[in-house]
Amino acid sequence: MKKISENISYKEATYSETAKRLGISNKPKKEHIENMELIAEKIFQPLRKWVDHPIRINSFYRSEELNSRINGASSTSDHLTGLAIDITSMGKKTNLEMLHYIKDHLDFDVLINEYPNEEGEPKWIHVSWNKKKNRKQVLEIKRKGRYYTYTGECKSCK
């Protein structure tokens, strides 16, 4: 079985229920796989070691066709190059604890607290890597009706 890293299978990194349902190919090119291996090495594996339990990958690589079929997905998404990963805790550590660990201990480009509840607990975490220079930008996204709002201030990230 192909592996992106010690704890990420190729299948897990490229799986999409939407792609499966619509018959869309979600096969990365060699350069995308190299990017996926890089973000796994720099962010996912250190985080996985710290939490000491499985982490669900909600979304990793997305083909252009798949990305365009996902409502609201950015045409400049780092998922298109394999340099972004959306994750959810599957153990004792919460998503908020993982978010804080990434923010305080790892290098990253953009870290997003996705749809936090009243206590600031994210539904999931988005984190990306930039091969040139990571900005360590921390954002929060909220939804009001049909509209999404990114804020430069993540209240629960402090």
Side-chain angles (χ1 to χ4, degrees), residues 18-113:
T18 302
K20 184 179 174 184
R21 187 178 71 251
L22 298 176
I24 297 170
S25 173
N26 198 42
K27 185 176 180 182
K29 295 178 183 172
K30 182 181 179 203
E31 61 266 23
H32 302 144
I33 292 172
E34 289 169 359
N35 289 342
M36 294 161 75
E37 291 169 344
L38 177 65
I39 193 171
E41 172 194 336
K42 300 293 187 182
I43 297 173
F44 186 88
Q45 287 305 142
L47 178 65
R48 176 64 172 76
K49 184 176 180 181
W50 178 75
V51 300
D52 195 30
H53 60 69
I55 298 170
R56 177 184 302 123
I57 296 173
N58 302 335
S59 183
F60 200 158
Y61 172 75
R62 290 185 202 145
S63 67
E64 285 187 34
E65 185 178 1
L66 172 60
N67 198 61
S68 71
R69 300 293 288 270
I70 298 172
N71 288 339
S74 169
S75 63
T76 60
S77 171
D78 287 324
H79 288 284
L80 293 166
T81 60
L83 286 171
I85 188 169
D86 295 346
I87 56 176
T88 303
S89 177
M90 294 180 67
K92 293 178 185 175
K93 302 286 188 195
T94 67
N95 287 340
L96 189 57
E97 288 172 313
M98 292 195 319
L99 182 134
H100 280 282
Y101 183 83
I102 295 167
K103 179 180 71 68
D104 297 338
H105 300 284
L106 301 176
D107 196 19
F108 60 89
D109 189 41
V110 179
L111 177 65
I112 305 174
N113 181 346

